[in-house]
């Protein structure tokens, strides 16, 4: 199972960008604890060091829906701004959303068509004599790169694969960003008064009550055990 998740400050101020960075750290820690694989496919840095406007992750694993149940929605941080000392606001909200109907690009070298050509411009004895340059085309997206850095055709081919993948992913990220802007109006509808998680303080202490079935069952067992002990 795969899911595309975005953690975003939206149109929030610098404080919200700081919260995104802190939430990301906690989010990644829990992913590791639950043996869920992840890949950060895009991140937009904030206006100050150690802040993020948004980050998009691809998650891979079992029971993702169950894991995300306690994450998707609005997240609140309660604390005073470290950027604006006189700001009286104490509640800062960010959003965590699943990006649906977004098709991931499956980049496969089998989908590349290679063509050789003579190098152009200055470049030594092989220029205009030997076909050492390589033009690589990604057939599904029709993106193309031309590489003539080396006198070795094999080396140019290797470099063309790397650059073509970077170019294809760059185009995909641009498409993804447009999708994010389109869905932002929907994201703004998240109820700020009912966050799925709450943190507080500069140490980002969790104020989250685990309401999972496993947790509640454990609490009930302890209560029953204590109840029986009273009658022994």
């Amino acid at each position: 199972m795969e899911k595309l998740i975005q953690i975003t400050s939206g149109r929030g101020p610098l404080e919200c960008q700081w919260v995104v960075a802190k939430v990301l750290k906690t989010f990644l820690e829990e992913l590791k604890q639950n043996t869920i694989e992840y890949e950060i496919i895009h991140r937009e840095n904030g206006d100050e060091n150690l802040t993020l406007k948004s980050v998009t992750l691809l998650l891979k694993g079992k029971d993702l829906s169950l894991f995300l149940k306690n994450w998707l929605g609005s997240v609140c941080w309660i604390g005073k701004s470290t950027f604006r000392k006189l700001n009286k606001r104490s509640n800062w909200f960010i959003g965590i959303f699943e990006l649906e109907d977004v098709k991931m690009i499956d980049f496969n070298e089998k989908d590349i068509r290679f063509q050789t050509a003579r190098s152009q411009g200055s470049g030594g004895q092989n220029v205009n004599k030997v076909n050492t340059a390589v033009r690589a085309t990604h057939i599904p997206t029709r993106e193309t790169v031309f590489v003539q850095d080396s006198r070795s055709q094999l080396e140019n081919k290797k470099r063309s694969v790397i650059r073509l993948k970077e170019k294809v992913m760059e185009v995909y990220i641009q498409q993804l960003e447009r999708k994010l802007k389109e869905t932002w109006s929907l994201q703004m509808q998240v109820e700020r008064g009912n966050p799925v998680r709450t943190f507080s303080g500069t140490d980002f202490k969790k104020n989250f009550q685990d309401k999972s079935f496993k947790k509640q069952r454990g609490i009930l067992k302890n209560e029953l055990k204590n109840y029986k002990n009273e009658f022994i």
Side-chain angles (χ1 to χ4, degrees), residues 9 13-24 49-53 77 80 82-83 94 201-204:
S9 63
L14 183 57
E15 290 82 1
C16 293
Q17 298 174 19
W18 179 82
V19 175
V20 169
K22 300 295 285 187
V23 165
L24 174 63
N49 290 334
L50 304 178
T51 66
L52 288 170
K53 291 183 179 179
W77 174 66
K80 294 297 182 181
T82 58
F83 302 99
I94 67 167
T202 54
D203 58 350
F204 224 68

Side-chain angles (χ1 to χ4, degrees), residues 1-7 24 27-28 31 36-43 55-61 64 67-68 97-99 102-106 169 172-173 176:
M1 179 183 292
E2 294 185 354
K3 287 185 179 292
L4 204 57
I5 303 300
Q6 186 197 33
I7 306 174
L24 174 63
F27 187 74
L28 295 183
L31 288 177
I36 296 175
E37 298 180 17
Y38 70 89
E39 178 183 355
I40 297 178
I41 64 173
H42 179 59
R43 61 192 298 161
V55 58
T56 304
L57 305 98
L58 177 65
L59 308 185
K60 299 179 181 180
L64 286 181
F67 172 80
L68 292 172
F97 306 97
E98 179 182 353
L99 301 176
V102 178
K103 186 177 181 180
M104 291 296 296
I105 291 180
D106 183 18
M169 291 307 298
Y172 170 72
I173 292 300
L176 181 59

Side-chain angles (χ1 to χ4, degrees), residues 114-119 130-136 145-163:
F114 296 99
Q115 296 172 296
T116 58
R118 293 182 180 180
S119 296
V130 182
N131 292 346
T132 57
V134 174
R135 184 182 303 278
V145 295
F146 183 78
V147 180
Q148 58 176 0
D149 300 3
S150 173
R151 295 182 181 180
S152 166
Q153 184 184 114
L154 180 60
E155 185 62 29
N156 283 333
K157 183 178 180 180
K158 291 179 181 179
R159 294 180 184 181
S160 71
V161 173
I162 296 173
R163 293 180 188 177

